[in-house]
């Protein structure tokens, strides 16, 4: 039985760090990171880990979590099925770039959390 909360603790700490960035954190007039984007990114990370941590352990963890100049957060996963970069915007929208192992890359804007969740699971499961 895997404690998925322990598995993703470093990722939640990373989101906490990003939430403390001040305006102009990149010295190019970046916005502070939106609490909405932090909350949605946290929800996505939690949901993925709750579904797959028992089977994949630490492999459910995002590869990287970075702030975006518009106040959003980018979360990237890499797995047997490829790579997915998810942008979580301050306006509660999601967009993604999917780079599957087999097939064409795909990019979409304004997609639902459920769509993102399904794509992340596909990337991680292979």
């Amino acid at each position: 039985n895997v404690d998925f909360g322990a598995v993703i603790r470093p990722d939640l700490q990373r989101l906490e760090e990003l939430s403390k960035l001040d305006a102009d954190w990149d010295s190019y007039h970046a916005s502070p990171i939106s609490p909405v984007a932090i909350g949605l990114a946290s929800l996505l990370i939690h949901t993925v880990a709750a579904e797959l941590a028992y089977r994949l352990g630490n492999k459910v963890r995002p590869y990287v979590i970075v702030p975006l100049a518009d106040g959003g957060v980018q979360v990237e996963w890499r797995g047997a099925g490829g790579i997915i970069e998810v942008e979580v915007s301050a306006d509660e929208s999601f967009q993604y770039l999917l780079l599957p192992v087999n097939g064409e890359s795909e990019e979409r804007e304004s997609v639902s959390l459920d769509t993102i969740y399904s794509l992340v699971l596909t990337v991680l499961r292979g």
Side-chain angles (χ1 to χ4, degrees):
N1 196 7
V2 175
D3 177 3
F4 75 87
V7 169
I8 61 172
R9 187 168 294 120
D11 306 307
L12 301 179
Q13 289 170 341
R14 173 70 175 146
L15 289 173
E16 177 70 21
E17 291 168 12
L18 297 183
S19 74
K20 295 177 182 173
L21 291 174
D22 292 325
D24 198 31
W25 53 265
D26 66 349
S27 71
Y28 292 99
H29 310 293
S31 298
I33 306 307
S34 160
V36 169
I38 294 290
L40 288 172
S42 176
L43 175 63
L44 180 60
I45 291 166
H46 266 101
T47 306
V48 168
E51 176 70 23
L52 291 180
Y54 71 95
R55 211 166 79 201
L56 298 177
N58 280 343
K59 292 181 183 179
V60 299
R61 293 191 56 213
Y63 180 76
V64 67
I65 302 170
V66 295
L68 298 173
D70 66 0
V73 176
Q74 180 175 310
V75 185
E76 178 182 317
W77 280 270
R78 296 182 177 195
I83 299 170
I84 185 166
E85 297 174 358
V86 178
E87 289 189 14
V88 183
S89 298
D91 67 358
E92 299 184 38
S93 69
F94 294 92
Q95 56 188 20
Y96 70 87
L97 172 62
L98 178 64
L99 304 166
V101 171
N102 299 313
E104 302 262 334
S105 65
E106 178 181 303
E107 195 168 2
R108 298 276 187 274
E109 296 181 2
S110 300
V111 296
S112 70
L113 177 60
D114 287 341
T115 298
I116 295 294
Y117 171 69
S118 295
L119 289 168
V120 172
L121 294 185
T122 299
V123 163
L124 292 176
R125 287 180 179 147

